[in-house]
Amino acid sequence: MVKLSTPFTDQKPGTSGLRKSSKHFEQPHYLESFLEAIFRTLPGVKGGTLIVGGDGRYGNCRAIDIILRMASAHGVSKVITTVNGILSTPAASNLIRKHKAIGGIILSASHNPGGPEGDFGVKLNAANGGPASESLTNDIYTCTLNLDEYKIVENSEISLESPGRHFISSMIVEVIDGVEDYLYLMQKLFDFDQISAFINKDFPIAFDALNAVTGPYASRLFEGLLGSPLGTVRNGLPKEDFGGCHPDPNLTYANELAELLLEGTNYSFGAACDGDGDRNMILGRGCFVNPSDSLAVLVANAHCAPAYKDGLAGVARSMPTSAAVDLVARDLGIDCFETPTGWKFFGNLLDTGKITICGEESFGTGSNHVREKDGLWAVLFWLQILASKQCTVDHLMSQHWSNYGRHYYSRHDYEEIPTEIANGIYNNIEKKMPALIGNSFADSSIIFADNFSYNDPVDGSITDKQGLRLILEDGSRLILRLSGTGTKGATLRVYLERYVSVHGKLNQNPQLALRGLIQDIDLMAEISHRTGMNRPTVIT
Ligand code: VG1
Ligand code: CO
């Protein structure tokens, strides 16, 4: 038992767990306090099984050691962890489900940089394998506010270097290979023979693991099971600081791969995943697939994969994700749900069989095979569709747009803005919203404005204030949100969407197609004026 003089009050988890700088996590008792709140709040701790692992960043193994000692002190009966603590977020979700665990603790700050100068994070997943619900997260936070002590056993000294079985008092610690079960699951969902034949004929692929967790998974998957040449996986060894990179698969941070595909001719397909392996970016030769379109394409062609050949129950997308998938769902005659940002909101829909596939504009797609978004699953799904149709990424996209029309889409992120300024921009628009209806905007006019609120169709819970929405008469949408995953200042996200039907221009550059919306939202929200930034930090 360790006494705390003052409780930490800044441990409110955001969109994806508790995320702070590594330095912040290194304060004495900081990590332990949050873990104590988890052990006191999560149902089933005494006698339960817990899954633990992380993306390999700085602090991963130290945190696992602390979790093992605290789990033992709290009466957990078994912890399953992995060799070197390497476990991707979707693989963790799979293990939780497979072992009927009470939940899992994933050590990751996802796409944020790592290392002593980077960020660290703790994500809690519940027994269904998905991110903890809003109510569980709130209960954990409340618990942190009054902590005066935490329980931990003294020493454990368990080696994570190889698989094995250990004990801490009566608690079993099983160290397993964190890759195997995941690859087994992928083989059940997709036709590996078909994919392998296709990519090894004349369809060279490149995968960038960005020095993060997917390296070992991708090497065994592509260079092993699918027989791609060695070197297919780039930056495949997980490093504590991700080699100084920002493990975020987008055109800005995965620019090496982007250049290889957009400017070179050696590869037909490229993909990258983020720090913890739940995000994906898909590229073809000379072609970038917008994540919202990616979701729509997967849904439209789901029948190409053995796992989804009998059709989909329904689909869901987060509110800021473009409505491209809505058109496909309508065409297929299935439900399409609109949820707030964050994977946890898909949990109930997946658990009750209302949806099969879901996704977010932030490079996340997934299905009912686990309860997290899944980067490598999306890459395999794309390859399966291309293999089954024997076509290129570029061709598949053009075909999709000529069937459904195109949702031009972009997200503009303004990072590290002083919090007061970001709040000022947001509150100003929110206040003005009722008066905006009827105003002209770009080539259209505003017909609807609100702060998105979600009524969960399964448990009836209401989650409000999920982002400011402006909808125009021509169907265009503009959304403003403040990020819940940044660790420095505030990040303002502006989401822009304009629909062009099959009769319109389908081959424009998105930034050009969205120019009117970009200019008018900047004027209306006074973004450059208030931030002093003349362009966003990241454009996707
Ligand atoms: C971001 C994304 C959101 C995603 C979340 C966690 O949140 O926008 O769609 O679910 O990150 O992703 P925010 O609040 O910063 O916009 V991950 O890869 O960190 O688990
Ligand atoms: Co992630």
Side-chain angles (χ1 to χ4, degrees):
M1 198 80 86
V2 177
K3 291 273 173 213
L4 291 166
S5 44
T6 34
F8 295 100
T9 54
D10 67 344
Q11 301 195 322
K12 189 162 179 58
T15 326
S16 179
L18 181 65
R19 219 176 266 202
K20 304 275 178 193
S21 67
S22 300
K23 287 217 168 81
H24 202 91
F25 265 104
E26 281 171 328
Q27 294 172 79
H29 315 303
Y30 188 81
L31 173 66
E32 291 85 344
S33 295
F34 188 61
L35 293 171
E36 177 71 18
I38 290 179
F39 284 119
R40 287 191 191 184
T41 316
L42 182 69
V45 163
K46 255 201 171 57
T49 296
L50 188 68
I51 308 296
V52 180
D55 64 9
R57 71 178 65 217
Y58 174 77
N60 197 34
C61 288
R62 170 185 162 248
I64 292 177
D65 175 60
I66 293 172
I67 294 169
L68 292 177
R69 286 153 54 203
M70 289 184 69
S72 169
H74 280 273
V76 169
S77 83
K78 182 177 184 181
V79 171
I80 299 174
T81 186
T82 54
V83 175
N84 297 323
I86 290 290
L87 185 61
S88 77
T89 291
S93 182
N94 179 41
L95 286 182
I96 295 169
R97 297 166 68 75
K98 177 180 167 185
H99 294 279
K100 302 202 167 27
I102 54 163
I105 299 176
I106 304 166
L107 305 158
S108 173
S110 188
H111 53 286
N112 294 27
E117 304 301 321
D119 290 339
F120 191 74
V122 177
K123 305 204 281 186
L124 174 69
N125 283 28
N128 72 342
S133 65
E134 286 266 281
S135 68
L136 180 57
T137 309
N138 288 339
D139 291 350
I140 290 170
Y141 175 58
T142 309
C143 180
T144 64
L145 299 176
N146 298 308
L147 279 186
D148 54 2
E149 60 186 20
Y150 62 87
K151 280 201 229 166
I152 187 163
V153 302
E154 274 305 310
N155 254 321
S156 64
E157 283 175 31
I158 284 172
S159 160
L160 299 180
E161 270 165 30
S162 52
R165 185 173 245 246
H166 312 265
F167 282 89
I168 303 181
S169 333
S170 62
M171 185 182 86
I172 302 169
V173 179
E174 216 164 294
V175 182
I176 63 169
D177 167 25
V179 179
E180 209 167 79
D181 290 295
Y182 177 80
L183 295 185
Y184 178 70
L185 174 64
M186 292 302 113
Q187 284 170 279
K188 284 202 298 193
L189 303 176
F190 301 110
D191 179 347
F192 273 42
D193 291 337
Q194 190 185 42
I195 297 175
S196 172
F198 179 68
I199 61 179
N200 293 318
K201 210 169 113 211
D202 186 22
F203 200 77
I205 64 169
F207 178 84
D208 197 337
L210 300 172
N211 303 306
V213 81
T214 50
Y217 294 83
S219 303
R220 274 158 74 176
L221 181 61
F222 297 118
E223 297 170 4
L225 294 170
L226 292 169
S228 298
L230 285 180
T232 297
V233 176
R234 316 163 82 83
N235 302 312
L237 278 184
K239 293 188 185 150
E240 284 207 331
D241 65 348
F242 307 124
C245 301
H246 201 136
D248 197 355
N250 57 39
L251 295 177
T252 305
Y253 296 123
N255 58 323
E256 243 179 65
L257 182 80
E259 266 172 38
L260 210 60
L261 268 295
L262 301 183
E263 282 152 40
T265 52
N266 289 348
Y267 294 98
S268 302
F269 179 92
C273 290
D274 72 333
D276 62 329
D278 55 2
R279 297 186 180 203
N280 73 91
M281 173 171 72
I282 303 292
L283 299 158
R285 186 177 298 170
C287 161
F288 161 75
V289 181
N290 180 284
S292 297
D293 278 343
S294 177
L295 174 64
V297 167
L298 294 183
V299 170
N301 300 287
H303 54 272
C304 296
Y308 313 104
K309 69 174 189 325
D310 296 332
L312 309 174
V315 293
R317 62 163 171 85
S318 69
M319 183 274 281
T321 304
S322 95
V325 71
D326 301 33
L327 297 190
V328 181
R330 199 195 301 155
D331 198 29
L332 295 173
I334 56 176
D335 283 338
C336 178
F337 297 86
E338 185 177 40
T339 59
T341 294
W343 209 260
K344 59 175 172 271
F345 295 103
F346 295 132
N348 280 343
L349 298 172
L350 289 165
D351 284 347
T352 53
K354 290 194 183 322
I355 61 169
T356 312
I357 292 181
C358 46
E360 296 192 274
E361 50 60 46
S362 52
F363 297 83
T365 24
S367 87
N368 58 358
H369 68 291
V370 288
R371 292 294 179 274
E372 283 281 2
K373 52 190 184 270
D374 188 343
L376 284 168
W377 167 88
V379 178
L380 284 170
F381 205 161
W382 263 90
L383 290 173
Q384 180 85 79
I385 293 168
L386 298 172
S388 141
K389 301 185 119 81
Q390 297 280 314
C391 71
T392 63
V393 176
D394 188 35
H395 180 82
L396 189 60
M397 286 319 307
S398 313
Q399 216 180 31
H400 188 86
W401 294 329
S402 62
N403 284 342
Y404 293 100
R406 180 168 178 183
H407 289 78
Y408 283 104
Y409 186 85
S410 184
R411 184 174 106 181
H412 289 196
D413 293 334
Y414 296 82
E415 295 179 344
E416 296 186 32
I417 315 177
T419 308
E420 321 78 71
I421 293 183
N423 289 341
I425 293 173
Y426 191 90
N427 296 338
N428 178 43
I429 290 285
E430 183 164 26
K431 223 172 42 227
K432 278 206 277 205
M433 282 214 316
L436 292 177
I437 314 272
N439 284 14
S440 66
F441 197 96
D443 297 329
S444 184
S445 65
I446 300 173
I447 54 164
F448 180 85
D450 76 344
N451 194 339
F452 181 64
S453 160
Y454 178 62
N455 187 345
D456 188 306
V458 178
D459 65 18
S461 63
I462 290 177
T463 311
D464 59 8
K465 299 191 171 40
Q466 294 299 304
L468 307 180
R469 281 199 292 190
L470 299 175
I471 298 180
L472 308 189
E473 200 173 8
D474 67 0
S476 298
R477 295 195 313 155
L478 290 123
I479 290 136
L480 267 76
R481 265 188 76 246
L482 296 175
S483 153
T485 59
T487 54
K488 291 187 200 114
T491 295
L492 173 71
R493 304 202 196 284
V494 181
Y495 308 80
L496 306 131
E497 173 182 344
R498 182 161 84 89
Y499 178 63
V500 173
S501 81
V502 289
H503 308 295
K505 259 202 201 163
L506 300 176
N507 277 319
Q508 282 187 73
N509 171 318
Q511 301 307 316
L512 273 182
L514 296 166
R515 197 168 48 187
L517 297 178
I518 295 170
Q519 283 167 352
D520 281 10
I521 191 67
D522 187 45
L523 286 178
M524 180 194 277
E526 301 168 9
I527 300 172
S528 43
H529 176 69
R530 287 176 183 241
T531 61
M533 296 161 83
N534 51 19
R535 70 168 77 93
T537 328
V538 179
I539 294 181
T540 41

